[in-house]
Amino acid sequence: NNHKSDSRGALIVLEGLDRSGKTSQSSRLLSYLEGLGHSVESWRFPDRNTGVGQMISSYLANESQLDDHTIHLLFSANRWEKRSLMETKLRSGTTLIVDRYSFSGVAFSSAKGLDIEWCKAPEIGLLAPDLVLYLDIPPEKAAERGGYGGERYEQLEFQRKVAHSYQILRDGSWKTVNAWLPFDDVEKQLREMVLDSVTTCQKGKSLSKLWS
Ligand code: FDM
């Protein structure tokens, strides 16, 4: 059964430190693609609406304590519980703009000192993104933007470690954008990259799995 020529939506992931602009850029990209007549949805991980998501949310708010391995697996489970819906959407032609994915999972947990290969293992078999956009910003610049909430990981010292983990994780397929440029410039660059990926997937590209 050869699905190679089947048209589908693109799986587009935005990654970056807290305050790098992922969430604002995601919503801009959503309106942009909608405006062009594409079927598109904006997703985010953690998805705090599920049972697992609520456990994650209370952990992040420091309302509960969990072992580092345990919370790592919950973040992963939170992606697994959305995996089949994700595939259905993509195959039906809907593009997904996803704010954080497995790379956040590995970057944040390995920044705490967990072994990187151990962190990747539970992500194996999830859908691989067609495009990973990395919003690159020095941790100090991100912190200067203010607006860190009171959540667990929103501290400069920890964000520095996360930035280092992202550097180890990044491979040649990621598209990096300087996220400390003016918002509109970043948006313009992202638009081009996203449109390119949407077009490729429309023409037909097989879905692949992590971790490749
Ligand atoms: N985070 C996010 C993780 O530690 N692991 C994950 O797998 C994901 C998806 O959760 F600090 C962290 C990153 C961030 C926090 O993310 C909540 P948002 O984007 O602020 O909701």
Side-chain angles (χ1 to χ4, degrees):
N1 209 0
N2 187 0
H3 288 286
K4 279 210 168 73
S5 60
D6 288 356
S7 179
R8 62 169 176 85
L11 179 54
I12 295 165
V13 169
L14 277 82
E15 288 285 358
L17 299 180
D18 285 289
R19 307 300 295 149
S20 60
K22 295 181 303 304
T23 306
S24 315
Q25 293 291 356
S26 294
S27 71
R28 289 290 190 92
L29 287 170
L30 178 81
S31 338
Y32 172 63
L33 291 177
E34 277 174 348
L36 295 175
H38 292 283
S39 166
V40 55
E41 286 182 16
S42 163
W43 285 28
R44 70 178 308 142
F45 288 108
D47 178 335
R48 303 187 190 215
N49 300 312
T50 69
V52 172
Q54 282 164 26
M55 292 176 71
I56 293 170
S57 190
S58 82
Y59 171 83
L60 289 171
N62 287 303
E63 287 160 6
S64 65
Q65 309 304 322
L66 289 169
D67 166 78
D68 291 343
H69 301 80
T70 310
I71 184 64
H72 181 78
L73 295 172
L74 290 179
F75 274 114
S76 184
N78 187 231
R79 283 181 280 280
W80 278 102
E81 60 186 348
K82 306 296 286 189
R83 188 209 172 282
S84 71
L85 181 61
M86 189 176 250
E87 180 165 354
T88 305
K89 295 274 180 188
L90 293 170
R91 292 207 188 280
S92 74
T94 300
T95 284
L96 304 177
I97 310 277
V98 185
D99 187 346
R100 297 193 186 280
Y101 195 55
S102 302
F103 314 101
S104 279
V106 178
F108 280 74
S109 292
S110 66
K112 295 169 167 178
L114 299 191
D115 178 74
I116 195 159
E117 294 307 321
W118 186 90
C119 291
K120 283 169 138 182
E123 308 297 318
I124 295 173
L126 288 171
L127 296 176
D130 296 295
L131 178 63
V132 181
L133 298 165
Y134 186 68
L135 274 62
D136 193 17
I137 189 166
E140 296 72 22
K141 287 243 187 326
E144 277 167 22
R145 288 182 167 179
Y148 278 169
E151 286 206 330
R152 196 178 279 265
Y153 299 141
E154 295 175 324
Q155 289 162 22
L156 179 56
E157 207 42 56
F158 187 69
Q159 296 286 320
R160 285 200 181 103
K161 291 183 183 157
V162 174
H164 178 70
S165 299
Y166 268 128
Q167 262 180 333
I168 294 167
L169 267 183
R170 270 153 82 174
D171 66 31
S173 70
W174 290 31
K175 302 271 193 241
T176 299
V177 173
N178 288 350
W180 66 92
L181 292 177
F183 188 90
D184 291 350
D185 297 352
V186 177
E187 182 184 10
K188 188 163 172 275
Q189 290 183 46
L190 294 177
R191 282 182 171 191
E192 278 179 34
M193 294 165 180
V194 161
L195 198 53
D196 198 54
S197 178
V198 168
T199 308
T200 305
C201 293
Q202 245 175 358
K203 287 182 188 154
K205 179 186 172 207
S206 47
L207 265 177
S208 52
K209 291 175 183 172
L210 288 177
W211 200 274
S212 53

